[in-house]
Amino acid sequence: MRKKIVAGNWKMNGTYEEGQKLTSEIVNMVKDELKDEVTIVLNPPFVHLQSVKKLIGDSKAIFLGAQNCSDKASGAYTGEISAAMLASFGASYVIIGHSERREYFKESNKELTGKVNQALENGLSPIFCCGEPLEIREQDTHVEYVTQQLTESLFSLSEEQMKKIVIAYEPIWAIGTGKTASSEQAQEMHAAIRQHIGNKYGASVSDDLSILYGGSCKPDNAQELFSKADVDGGLIGGASLKSRDFVDIIKSF
Ligand code: PGA
């Protein structure tokens, strides 16, 4: 059985106090309103990791994640954060290859392989992001584009390593724009991703792979998106900064 996962990507938002408030509210709502059926991941900025982890406490449902890690193990890389550091602060997940990292920080598919390897070596599950820009969608080559991203970054992994990967499909034209992919568009791509992974690693791996949708996912569209056979949850940006919206999205399952 594949996991249902809802992950909140705070991006570069929130002071210490705001991060504490948001986390406390989410922890309390989850305790009061949800059974532990969905895996919830909070991905705050690095500087919040320790304090968020403390507030999560011994929750069985909520896990800690980061938004990025280095492709290097350690050393003279000023400003970088290693996967080993994240693991030592109690992180279980790390987002890798978000489109904002690819676009603004020029992360290439090859560099992302290094990050995925570092995450896996340190026991973290990568939430590997893929997704096409608008012009590719308009040319109707989005499936080829996304499967190529997966091939170039992930297909050197072993079967055991691939089992630890979570995929997030995030069409770039839907991120932070208020434009959501329709549930049919999401399902088409999620099914293609599962097929592509299955062709390489076999159905037992691809059947268990959690594929999340990201891109303007909100309480009012989450239920429709999550109702699709190959949509196993969401990677939530803007709406994860409001505790009520984030928990309502989780409740959409
Ligand atoms: P959004 O961001 O929900 O604000 O569109 C999603 C993401 O970038 O992970």
Side-chain angles (χ1 to χ4, degrees):
M1 265 290 280
R2 53 190 185 246
K3 273 190 200 160
K4 294 173 178 172
I5 302 174
V6 177
N9 175 10
W10 296 8
K11 309 192 179 183
M12 195 175 73
N13 290 295
T15 60
Y16 172 73
E17 288 78 14
E18 287 163 348
Q20 293 274 286
K21 181 168 178 288
L22 177 59
T23 309
S24 304
E25 287 170 3
I26 292 170
V27 168
N28 287 328
M29 286 181 194
V30 167
K31 193 155 48 121
D32 294 343
E33 301 173 31
L34 287 160
K35 300 190 201 91
D36 299 344
E37 287 164 357
V38 178
T39 297
I40 302 160
V41 187
L42 302 182
N43 299 271
F46 292 130
V47 291
H48 293 305
L49 285 173
Q50 190 171 20
S51 59
V52 169
K53 177 70 184 171
K54 238 190 192 152
L55 290 172
I56 292 173
D58 57 3
S59 167
K60 299 270 180 300
I62 309 177
F63 295 82
L64 185 68
Q67 298 173 19
N68 181 31
C69 70
S70 175
D71 63 337
K72 310 287 194 303
S74 65
Y77 302 103
T78 302
E80 288 293 276
I81 305 282
S82 72
M85 293 173 194
L86 300 178
S88 75
F89 278 86
S92 308
Y93 291 84
V94 57
I95 297 170
I96 290 180
H98 191 280
S99 60
E100 288 151 15
R101 303 274 340 155
R102 292 172 186 264
E103 183 182 351
Y104 305 135
F105 304 97
K106 305 287 170 252
E107 292 186 359
S108 65
N109 288 338
K110 183 167 172 283
E111 186 183 356
L112 296 178
T113 305
K115 290 179 183 236
V116 168
N117 281 326
Q118 278 301 319
L120 291 170
E121 274 176 30
N122 289 284
L124 303 173
S125 283
I127 300 175
F128 184 83
C129 299
C130 55
E132 80 286 356
L134 186 60
E135 63 270 22
I136 296 290
R137 170 65 61 170
E138 284 170 349
Q139 286 164 21
D140 204 25
T141 52
H142 46 286
V143 169
E144 292 81 352
Y145 184 91
V146 167
T147 51
Q148 172 98 5
Q149 287 180 320
L150 300 177
T151 302
E152 288 183 13
S153 293
L154 301 181
F155 276 18
S156 56
L157 299 180
S158 69
E159 188 180 320
E160 279 316 301
Q161 288 177 314
M162 186 51 105
K163 286 182 182 165
K164 309 241 163 58
I165 303 279
V166 174
I167 304 279
Y169 168 56
E170 301 206 303
I172 297 170
W173 45 273
I175 296 178
T177 58
K179 256 194 215 168
T180 321
S182 68
S183 56
E184 290 76 22
Q185 287 172 322
Q187 170 58 26
E188 180 209 26
M189 184 63 87
H190 284 225
I193 291 170
R194 199 178 303 288
Q195 178 77 48
H196 188 64
I197 304 277
N199 290 345
K200 165 89 177 164
Y201 290 96
S204 70
V205 174
S206 64
D207 283 349
D208 284 349
L209 178 74
S210 296
I211 308 177
L212 318 184
Y213 169 79
S216 301
C217 185
K218 303 263 171 356
D220 61 4
N221 59 28
Q223 192 166 14
E224 169 65 20
L225 287 158
F226 296 169
S227 71
K228 293 295 173 189
D230 289 291
V231 179
D232 308 309
L235 179 54
I236 318 298
S240 75
L241 297 171
K242 295 185 193 125
S243 53
R244 185 70 269 162
D245 284 1
F246 185 59
V247 173
D248 282 348
I249 288 171
I250 303 165
K251 286 167 92 172
S252 304
F253 266 121

